[in-house]
């Protein structure tokens, strides 16, 4: 995530508007803040530091700065912990360029390798590298625009950029690829920001930028370019730009949620972006390979997590067994005592936690560490307690999650874990080069699969939520194998957000007890993953007890489902039998179902009763 903003005006000061906008953008990240401004005597001044806006503003006197052209950034750390030096803006060696960035540069490691030899790098970020690549272009006599174009050609991953150049004091350069960026126009100036709320106090006139667009704004000019053939680029003509101007009439409340009524639905819809950032962040991250090496040579892996993070861990254990033939033992964090006596110094513990602060997971980690285990953490929060206490950390880079229910962080965790599994499979020689490449390529498209699933699931979930509006009883979510693990997360979402009792268990267990509860119209959702065609039998036995059964399946999975008015089938996207994609296509339906039931019943899905986002007590 991260929030970026920039303003350039004919007269007056832009700093106060940048600061106001940053306050609106803080929901996108709040671990460090910075601004860069070109003062009226043409100095490029940068002030930045770790901490949230209120803190950094006071500490560094940001309100004292003045200038007509300014950019700002509020950060959610992805490369490097939240420190003063990692805060944005970043500069080149000659302090001529100041640059803010939202996104993740995938080829960070190789870029850093070559830049390190000739440049003075002051941070651990991927962002700073972009400033130095542009600097290379300027040193070769290119214009800033040309240098930026050269830099963009070298970048892989996602970015929204805003750039100040000391020698062009009226301009803010920008570029967008897979991270949000909009332009705003107003009398006497132009602006740029990650999203609309940041600029609503200034303008209602916007242009939404598309991926691959770049250019610059001046107080009375907006220039947008696109790449043409063979690396050339061309300017979009003024008439076409006029047609793209949109008038936005949002209330400030709606605006802070990006136009969505709740953070939960916004975050469900942010999953494609979160998955793209997770993939880009990890695909070439040397840490992924290092962690995989540790797993490759490990005897035993214990996977600890709570709630949704535990459910992501279950999926990891499934694919470890299937693709690497390695046994990973899942353990709910608060139950760590169950294995405590058996842990020793040959063990590897994988701790999964969105926040990195969950008390139970920290306790488990601290206990196992004392017993000699090596700790590897997967988290969304750089610099969190778990991050600090672990031997190695991987980050999911899903951006801050405000809704109490984990949604985008769950699917990002699953993607990160699957990437880790295939890396281990490759290390062990169990995945051939071709197979590894194929799986990696499939996972690189998890974002578009989840996008499609959200689109398919939304109207269906809305419809079924309506049918269940007056229902107060229990329901089952059943699956086998991978489907059971997905069902556990599905049931948790329904429980915590809709306040309905939802139980997930392996479908084969029905006859051993739970089916006793089933009576007329009892809702049963069945997650028919590719590994379990026999689940149709379970659907039939439920229907025979007059349950209302919904079978969810990938559209290309052929199941022998009998004609039965009590069994309905929901076809999700087709996945060509690639089971690594199944968590991404099944879970949005249940996230949306729990959301729509909650809204229909008048609950607040962002703040479910009795729950807190981060559980830091025993
Ligand atoms: C469910 C949910 C919780 C968390 C759990 C662990 O929607 O959010 O079950 O998953 O409290 O939190 P983290 O991942 O921060 O350790």
């Amino acid at each position: 995530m991260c929030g970026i903003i920039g303003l350039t005006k004919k007269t007056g000061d832009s700093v106060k508007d940048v600061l106001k906008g940053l306050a609106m953008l803080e929901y996108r990240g709040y671990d460090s803040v910075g601004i860069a401004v070109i003062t009226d005597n043409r100095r490029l001044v940068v002030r930045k530091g770790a901490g949230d806006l209120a803190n950094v503003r006071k500490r560094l006197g940001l309100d004292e700065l003045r200038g007509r052209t300014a950019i700002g950034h509020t950060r959610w750390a992805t490369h490097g912990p939240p420190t003063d030096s990692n805060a944005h803006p970043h500069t080149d060696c000659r302090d001529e360029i100041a640059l803010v960035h939202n996104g993740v540069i995938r080829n960070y490691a190789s870029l850093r390798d070559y830049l390190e030899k000739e440049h003075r790098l002051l941070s651990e970020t991927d962002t700073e590298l972009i400033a130095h690549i542009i600097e290379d272009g300027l040193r070769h006599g290119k214009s800033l625009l040309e240098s930026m174009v050269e830099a963009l050609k070298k970048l892989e991953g996602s970015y929204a950029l805003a750039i100040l150049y000391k020698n062009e004091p009226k301009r803010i350069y920008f570029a967008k690829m897979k991270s949000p960026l909009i332009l705003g126009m107003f009398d006497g100036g132009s602006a740029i920001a990650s999203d609309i709320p940041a600029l609503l106090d200034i303008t209602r006139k916007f242009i939404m930028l598309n991926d691959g667009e770049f250019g610059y704004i001046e107080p009375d000019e907006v220039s947008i370019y696109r790449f043409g053939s063979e690396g050339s680029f061309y300017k979009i003509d003024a008439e076409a730009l006029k047609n793209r101007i949109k008038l936005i009439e949002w209330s400030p409340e709606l605006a802070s949620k990006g136009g969505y009524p709740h953070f939960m639905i916004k975050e469900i819809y942010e999953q494609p972006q979160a998955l793209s950032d997770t993939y880009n962040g990890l695909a070439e991250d040397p840490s992924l390979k290092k962690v995989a090496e540790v797993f490759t040579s490990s005897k035993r892996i214990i996977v600890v997590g709570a709630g949704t993070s535990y459910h992501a861990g279950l999926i990891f254990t499934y694919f470890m067994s299937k693709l690497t033939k390695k046994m990973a033992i899942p353990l709910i964090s608060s139950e760590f005592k169950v294995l405590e006596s058996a842990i020793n110094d040959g063990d590897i513990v994988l701790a999964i936690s969105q926040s990195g602060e969950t008390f139970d997971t920290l306790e488990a980690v601290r206990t196992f560490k004392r017993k000699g285990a090596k700790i590897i953490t997967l988290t969304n929060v750089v610099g969190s307690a778990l991050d600090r206490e672990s031997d190695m950390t991987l980050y999911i880079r899903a951006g801050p999650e405000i809704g109490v229910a984990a949604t985008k962080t769950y699917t990002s965790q699953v993607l990160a874990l699957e990437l880790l599994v295939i890396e281990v499979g490759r290390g062990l020689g169990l995945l051939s080069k071709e197979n590894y490449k194929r799986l990696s390529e499939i996972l690189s498209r998890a974002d578009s699969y989840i996008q499609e699933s959200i689109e398919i699931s939304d109207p269906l979930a809305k419809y079924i939520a309506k049918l269940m509006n007056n229902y107060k009883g229990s329901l089952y979510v059943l699956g086998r194998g991978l489907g059971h693990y997905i069902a556990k997360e599905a049931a948790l979402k329904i429980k915590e957000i809709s306040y309905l009792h939802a139980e997930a268990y392996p479908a084969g267990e029905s006859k051993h007890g739970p089916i006793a509860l089933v009576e007329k119209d009892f809702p049963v959702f069945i997650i028919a993953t590719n590994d379990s065609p026999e689940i149709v039998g379970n659907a039939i036995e439920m229907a025979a007890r007059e349950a209302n059964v919904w079978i969810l399946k990938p559209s290309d999975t052929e199941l022998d489902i009998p004609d039965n008015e009590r069994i309905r089938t929901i076809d999700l996207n087709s996945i060509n039998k690639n089971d690594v994609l199944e968590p991404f296509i099944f879970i949005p339906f249940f996230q949306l179902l729990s959301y729509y039931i909650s809204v229909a019943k008048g609950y607040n899905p962002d703040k479910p009763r009795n729950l807190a986002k981060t559980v830091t007590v025993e």
Side-chain angles (χ1 to χ4, degrees), residues 1-4 21-31 52-53 74-76 102 180 193-198 250 252-260 262-263 266-267 270 380 398-403 408:
M1 291 280 274
C2 300
I4 69 177
L22 285 178
M24 295 301 295
L25 287 167
E26 262 200 310
Y27 79 90
R28 302 179 65 83
Y30 38 76
D31 61 38
D52 63 13
L53 178 63
T74 177
R75 179 171 189 243
W76 180 259
N102 168 31
S194 296
D195 66 19
I196 292 166
W250 282 354
E253 158 70 4
L254 205 61
S256 71
K257 293 174 183 139
Y260 291 96
H262 298 98
F263 282 110
K266 175 170 179 281
E267 286 158 3
E270 270 171 7
N380 195 29
E401 197 172 56
I402 315 270
K408 63 175 180 170

Side-chain angles (χ1 to χ4, degrees), residues 306-309 352-356 358 404-406 413 492-493 496 615:
T308 295
S309 290
I352 306 173
S353 171
Q354 180 282 126
S355 61
T358 297
V404 163
Q413 283 170 340
L492 177 61
K493 285 289 95 75
E496 64 177 337
V615 185

Side-chain angles (χ1 to χ4, degrees), residues 269-521:
Y269 269 84
E270 270 171 7
Q271 289 180 107
Q273 179 75 57
L275 291 190
S276 154
D277 286 345
T278 299
Y279 182 87
N280 284 327
L282 281 173
E284 291 179 33
D285 184 348
S287 306
L288 183 74
K289 295 195 171 52
K290 282 187 200 138
V291 169
E293 273 162 29
V294 172
F295 281 24
T296 307
S297 54
S298 68
K299 250 187 3 242
R300 262 194 327 208
I301 300 161
I302 295 98
V303 186
V304 294
T308 295
S309 290
Y310 171 70
H311 297 157
L314 289 175
I315 291 181
F316 174 76
T317 64
Y318 176 88
F319 284 114
M320 278 296 277
S321 157
K322 182 169 176 187
L323 299 176
T324 77
K325 314 256 181 289
K326 267 204 178 265
M327 181 111 79
I329 306 161
L331 181 65
I332 291 179
S333 316
S334 56
E335 289 293 303
F336 68 87
K337 287 185 185 149
V338 170
L339 293 188
E340 185 179 353
S341 314
I343 301 291
N344 58 47
D345 56 11
D347 289 326
I348 306 295
V349 171
L350 171 63
I352 306 173
S353 171
Q354 180 282 126
S355 61
E357 303 287 345
T358 297
F359 181 90
D360 292 331
T361 309
L362 272 164
E363 271 300 283
V365 157
R366 285 171 184 152
T367 307
F368 292 167
K369 198 172 175 179
R370 274 197 300 274
K371 305 224 46 175
K374 189 173 192 134
I375 312 295
I376 295 174
T377 280
L378 178 73
T379 184
N380 195 29
V381 183
V382 181
S384 57
L386 265 172
D387 185 1
R388 295 194 304 271
E389 298 202 19
S390 300
D391 296 292
M392 297 165 106
T393 305
L394 297 174
Y395 305 109
I396 57 172
R397 302 177 174 91
E401 197 172 56
I402 315 270
V404 163
T407 51
K408 63 175 180 170
T409 55
Y410 167 71
T411 42
S412 287
Q413 283 170 340
V414 171
L415 178 59
L417 292 166
E418 290 182 342
L419 286 167
L420 180 56
V421 169
I422 64 167
E423 212 54 58
V424 177
R426 172 162 80 165
L428 288 167
L430 287 170
L431 281 182
S432 64
K433 225 177 179 174
E434 297 71 43
N435 223 355
Y436 169 83
K437 229 175 125 195
R438 184 184 64 81
L439 283 167
S440 171
E441 198 275 327
I442 288 166
L443 291 176
S444 76
R445 287 184 285 122
D447 58 345
S448 48
Y449 281 95
I450 207 163
Q451 174 80 49
E452 194 183 342
S453 164
I454 292 169
E455 281 160 20
I456 295 172
S457 300
D458 194 306
L460 294 165
K462 221 181 243 162
Y463 169 72
I464 296 175
K466 225 176 189 173
L467 297 182
M468 293 183 73
N469 201 12
N470 295 318
Y471 188 67
K472 292 197 174 63
S474 294
L475 62 92
Y476 287 155
V477 189
L478 306 183
R480 283 169 176 259
L482 180 60
H484 167 226
Y485 289 163
I486 300 171
K488 285 183 84 68
E489 175 57 10
L492 177 61
K493 285 289 95 75
I494 295 172
K495 246 183 278 196
E496 64 177 337
I497 301 302
S498 326
Y499 310 157
L500 282 178
H501 175 243
E503 192 179 334
Y505 64 87
E509 275 290 286
S510 291
K511 294 186 235 20
H512 302 285
I515 201 165
L517 278 187
V518 175
E519 55 191 0
K520 190 164 184 294
D521 295 337

Side-chain angles (χ1 to χ4, degrees), residues 86-98:
N86 287 334
H88 300 210
H90 290 280
T91 49
D92 62 313
C93 297
R94 303 186 294 193
D95 289 333
E96 290 185 338
I97 303 164

